Amino acid sequence: MTRLIMRRGPYPGKVFDLNTDIITIGSGMKNSIVILDNDVSREHCRLIRVMADYEVEDLGSMRGTFVSGQRVKTGWVLKPGSVIELGENVTLEYERAEAGAEMAKADNQVVPAKLEVTTTETHPSLVVIKGSKAGETLPLIGQMIRIGRDASNDIVLPDAEISRFHLELRWKESSYELVDLGSTNGTQLNGALVPHKTPLKLQSNDSVLIATTVQLRYTWQPDDVKREADMLKTPQILRPSTKELSQIDTSENKILNPRSKRQTSKLGTGLQPGALIDHIFITYARSDWQPIVVPMMALLQDAGFKVWVDQYLNQGGDDWMIAVEQALSECWLLMVVVSPESLDSRYVRLAYRYFFNREKPIVPLVYAGVDEMPIELKNRQVIRYNSTDRKQTFDELIAEAKRLKK
């Protein structure tokens, strides 16, 4: 169960349970959550479900929507502990029940006065993803931790692009705040430049880029982050296997040339924000992978499209969840392989409902007959699989993708 708690505004302490795919917030009486305040526009913002959490999007409000001090225009995925501000008068805190253990651990944390620790199990840490200390875990113990090039810092990063005293971490209310100390080459938090001397609260899994050379991840689970970083050191290309390609019938219509280039982005966790903006997301039942998705993916790539699928991630796992969150947010087009098995999959339903709610383009490919199409797919340009002329099916699919791309 996810919820918003009003911390500041007309109803302090009021809890708003979040249990539908789309939730609108504003002063108008037709909204899911009505907040009567001068700073709240009639239709201020909306939340759209994505995986276990929600994405917040401003609806052109007068006073603005902010998350962790950053103004929101397009979608921003919320995490447990995220603080949403509507103008200057209303503050809402986002909570998720599954995060209770970690949040309780943070709330009960007693921070020692010195940066001396032999274990990272009960302390937040910084994991170095990129830089001269890549792979190292830096436990964070102390009310204030200074980071920079100078040897007197608590954490010393000997890099020419980093200022002598680059930034500080200050413990406040169960987490650290990040403060850039007026550095020359700047600090980025989740891809956004941090204003000098403006405290920003860190959330678990936040990415911190110092200058352009050192990337850190803030976490209570450093071992998980290090495993993700290790995966990225040896990037794998996601492609149909030789066995899968050999089992595709190409003799009749010459659909595939096994020697032609066909690859997609390998997306695990830790991919840079924006890397999937020009990709097509294909969602399907795993049983449909080899007979239809493999040739479909290969032909789309041969036509010049970038494609992402989740085939080699463990569905429902943490890596899969992070990857799909980014794919849902950034991919410009969703292709749904429609079959009785895929329509029974809650993961497939999650994907097409998300694209539908965001008014992003969807192309359904009906691979096997179904009794009734979901309402989210009914009024789309449906392409029906022709088993006797598979090339025609894929030509129609590519033509529709090109039309939508214009």
Side-chain angles (χ1 to χ4, degrees), residues 76-309:
W76 184 303
V77 177
L78 299 172
K79 297 297 181 185
S82 291
V83 175
I84 305 171
E85 296 172 282
L86 309 181
E88 297 182 358
N89 296 334
V90 178
T91 300
L92 303 165
E93 184 175 358
Y94 176 77
E95 286 190 353
R96 172 157 48 92
E98 291 83 348
E102 179 171 313
M103 296 303 293
K105 176 174 62 177
D107 289 340
N108 295 327
Q109 176 67 36
V110 177
V111 183
K114 295 182 179 180
L115 187 66
E116 296 177 357
V117 64
T118 57
T119 178
T120 61
E121 291 181 358
T122 58
H123 304 289
S125 302
L126 290 174
V127 176
V128 184
I129 304 298
K130 183 177 74 170
S132 60
K133 296 187 176 184
E136 290 190 23
T137 297
L138 309 173
L140 302 177
I141 307 297
Q143 294 289 338
M144 185 175 72
I145 300 169
R146 182 165 288 187
I147 301 175
R149 194 177 73 249
D150 192 271
S152 66
N153 286 283
D154 299 299
I155 295 177
V156 179
L157 299 175
D159 189 287
E161 285 195 24
I162 295 175
S163 298
R164 290 180 63 242
F165 302 101
H166 200 102
L167 62 89
E168 280 182 353
L169 301 180
R170 302 170 184 172
W171 183 264
K172 185 177 180 181
E173 297 178 357
S174 80
S175 187
Y176 280 97
E177 291 183 336
L178 182 152
V179 183
D180 185 278
L181 299 175
S183 64
T184 301
N185 293 313
T187 305
Q188 294 183 41
L189 179 60
N190 298 325
L193 187 65
V194 176
H196 290 168
K197 300 185 179 179
T198 301
L200 296 179
K201 187 174 182 179
L202 292 175
Q203 308 291 339
S204 182
N205 214 38
D206 275 353
S207 174
V208 178
L209 182 64
I210 304 178
T212 62
T213 53
V214 177
Q215 183 180 2
L216 310 169
R217 186 84 69 82
Y218 177 76
T219 181
W220 286 81
Q221 299 173 313
D223 289 343
D224 290 348
V225 174
K226 289 175 74 173
R227 280 194 291 270
E228 294 172 14
D230 290 340
M231 289 173 60
L232 292 174
K233 287 179 183 177
T234 54
Q236 304 170 19
I237 300 300
L238 181 59
R239 66 179 78 230
S241 67
T242 302
K243 180 180 178 181
E244 289 167 334
L245 287 173
S246 66
Q247 292 178 354
I248 299 172
D249 180 11
T250 61
S251 58
E252 181 180 354
N253 295 312
K254 298 181 180 180
I255 291 177
L256 299 176
N257 174 0
R259 301 191 179 201
S260 66
K261 292 182 180 180
R262 43 183 69 91
Q263 66 182 43
T264 70
S265 296
K266 168 68 175 80
L267 175 60
T269 53
L271 194 72
Q272 289 296 318
L276 295 181
I277 287 175
D278 58 348
H279 283 61
I280 295 173
F281 182 5
I282 303 178
T283 187
Y284 53 93
R286 291 280 170 116
S287 58
D288 295 333
W289 164 251
Q290 186 168 298
I292 182 65
V293 181
V294 170
M296 172 181 172
M297 181 176 70
L299 282 181
L300 284 166
Q301 291 169 332
D302 286 347
F305 291 102
K306 296 179 181 179
V307 181
W308 185 80
V309 295

Side-chain angles (χ1 to χ4, degrees), residues 20-24 32 46-49 54 353 356-358:
T20 59
D21 287 345
I22 300 180
I23 296 163
T24 58
S32 312
R46 67 177 175 180
L47 305 180
I48 298 175
R49 193 193 300 275
Y54 282 84
R353 286 174 180 171
F356 176 82
N357 292 335
R358 293 278 288 136

